[in-house]
């Protein structure tokens, strides 16, 4: 029996503004965005234990049972928040002017309606995956091995957009109904789309593999995988695959 144990800790610092010129919501119901020295607070409790074992089931060494478990974290890096960090009031606004005069048309710029916000959750948590596997290996004949394995994972705190300033629901026939043009929970703003760590996913797979190491000029690997994945979000940024 061979047992391997490990522990990893990994974290990133909070994104800060040198002159304190950043703002965000501490709560979606705040009457205005709060000016502070950091844009978001990123979780630092990223402890990642790992455990693995290999157990030789008989004296011949031809049958081996293997198992493993680990926790992994994705870090909240600049590609997550860079596009929004400089687009919050009072340092940023969206203004309109109808048929402005030349050359001082900019003086006619006005804010029309309530402000729409796209931001990041101030209390951001690191996406976390619990990964586990169990496999059985059996030598079939010289240089050839059969492996039967189960592989699974559960992920939480997966980041994605959520509407923080929902329309106030009304009760219709005993059920909640959200009218398209109804008043919002925070009347000081329109839509507030927040990039937040509130999604989940899970993956389960059964695998069968037959391998032959290179011998007498012949090498091959044949495998079959049956898997199922259920998630609320499959990527954390537009470049993910």
């Amino acid at each position: 029996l061979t047992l391997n144990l490990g522990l990893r800790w990994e974290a990133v610092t909070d994104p800060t503004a040198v002159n304190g010129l950043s703002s965000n919501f501490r709560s979606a119901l705040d009457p205005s965005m709060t000016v502070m020295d950091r844009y978001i607070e990123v979780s630092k409790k990223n402890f990642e234990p790992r455990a693995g074992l290999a157990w030789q089931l008989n004296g011949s060494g031809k049958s081996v049972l293997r198992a493993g478990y680990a926790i992994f974290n994705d870090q909240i890096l600049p590609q997550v928040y860079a596009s929004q960090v400089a687009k919050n009031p009072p340092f940023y606004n969206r203004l309109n002017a109808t048929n402005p005069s030349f050359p001082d048309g900019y003086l006619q710029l006005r804010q029309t309606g309530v402000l729409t916000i796209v931001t990041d959750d101030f209390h951001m948590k690191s996406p976390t995956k619990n990964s586990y596997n169990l496999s059985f290996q059996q030598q079939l004949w010289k240089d050839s091995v059969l492996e039967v394995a189960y592989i699974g994972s559960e992920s939480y705190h997966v980041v994605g957009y959520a509407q923080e300033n929902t329309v106030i629901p009304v009760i219709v026939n005993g059920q909640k109904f959200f009218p398209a043009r109804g008043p919002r929970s925070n009347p000081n703003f329109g839509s507030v789309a927040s990039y937040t760590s509130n999604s989940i996913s899970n993956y389960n797979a059964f695998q069968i593999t037959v391998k032959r190491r290179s011998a007498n000029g012949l090498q091959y690997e044949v495998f079959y995988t049956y898997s199922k994945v259920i998630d609320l979000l499959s990527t954390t940024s537009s470049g993910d695959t």
Side-chain angles (χ1 to χ4, degrees), residues 17-25 32-39 84-95 111 115 117 189:
V18 173
N19 298 315
L21 301 181
S22 65
S23 64
N24 205 342
F25 285 112
S32 62
M33 303 194 85
T34 302
V35 177
M36 46 194 145
D37 64 347
R38 67 195 60 203
Y39 178 56
Q84 305 302 333
V85 66
K87 295 183 179 179
N88 286 340
F91 311 111
Y92 177 90
N93 206 340
R94 296 179 179 89
L95 305 174
Q111 179 177 319
L115 190 61
I117 300 293
F189 296 93

Side-chain angles (χ1 to χ4, degrees), residues 35 65 135 149 217:
V35 177
L65 183 68
S135 65

Side-chain angles (χ1 to χ4, degrees), residues 2-237:
T2 301
L3 179 64
N4 293 311
L5 300 175
L7 178 64
R8 177 186 177 92
W9 177 78
E10 182 179 9
V12 296
T13 57
D14 299 336
T16 60
V18 173
N19 298 315
L21 301 181
S22 65
S23 64
N24 205 342
F25 285 112
R26 288 189 178 275
S27 168
L29 298 179
D30 291 346
S32 62
M33 303 194 85
T34 302
V35 177
M36 46 194 145
D37 64 347
R38 67 195 60 203
Y39 178 56
I40 58 175
E41 287 183 347
V42 182
S43 173
K44 306 297 189 299
K45 300 178 181 179
N46 299 329
F47 292 97
E48 304 173 343
R50 285 94 191 272
L53 66 85
W55 182 19
Q56 187 173 296
L57 299 179
N58 52 50
S60 68
K62 296 182 178 181
S63 302
V64 179
L65 183 68
R66 302 179 187 273
Y69 172 80
I71 296 178
F72 302 94
N73 290 105
D74 276 345
Q75 300 303 317
I76 305 299
L77 299 176
Q79 73 265 21
V80 174
Y81 54 81
S83 63
Q84 305 302 333
V85 66
K87 295 183 179 179
N88 286 340
F91 311 111
Y92 177 90
N93 206 340
R94 296 179 179 89
L95 305 174
N96 294 288
T98 303
N99 297 321
S101 59
F102 182 82
D104 57 353
Y106 68 93
L107 297 175
Q108 302 172 39
L109 288 170
R110 299 289 185 273
Q111 179 177 319
T112 58
V114 292
L115 190 61
T116 296
I117 300 293
V118 180
T119 188
D120 296 279
D121 186 0
F122 181 73
H123 301 288
M124 188 75 75
K125 297 179 180 179
S126 300
T128 303
K129 174 189 282 187
N130 291 298
S131 181
Y132 34 83
N133 63 81
L134 177 66
S135 65
F136 172 73
Q137 294 179 325
Q138 176 66 49
Q139 181 178 337
L140 300 178
W141 50 84
K142 183 180 180 181
D143 300 319
S144 295
V145 176
L146 168 69
E147 180 180 47
V148 179
Y150 163 75
I151 299 174
S153 68
E154 293 182 354
S155 300
Y156 51 94
H157 300 157
V158 180
V159 292
Y161 282 106
Q163 178 55 246
E164 299 290 348
N165 194 22
T166 60
V167 173
I168 299 174
V170 296
I171 303 300
V172 177
N173 297 326
Q175 296 182 338
K176 285 186 178 180
F177 174 74
F178 295 83
R181 299 184 182 276
R184 293 184 179 269
S185 302
N186 187 343
N188 300 290
F189 296 93
S191 170
V192 177
S194 178
Y195 204 51
T196 183
S197 45
N198 67 345
S199 296
I200 59 173
S201 70
N202 68 69
Y203 173 84
N204 293 279
F206 171 72
Q207 294 182 344
I208 299 177
T209 306
V210 178
K211 301 179 183 179
R212 174 186 168 90
R213 293 181 298 177
S214 180
N216 300 322
L218 177 63
Q219 175 181 338
Y220 61 79
E221 180 175 349
V222 181
F223 58 89
Y224 171 79
T225 300
Y226 177 80
S227 64
K228 182 178 182 180
V229 60
I230 301 175
D231 61 38
L232 299 179
L233 189 72
S234 299
T235 63
T236 58
S237 63

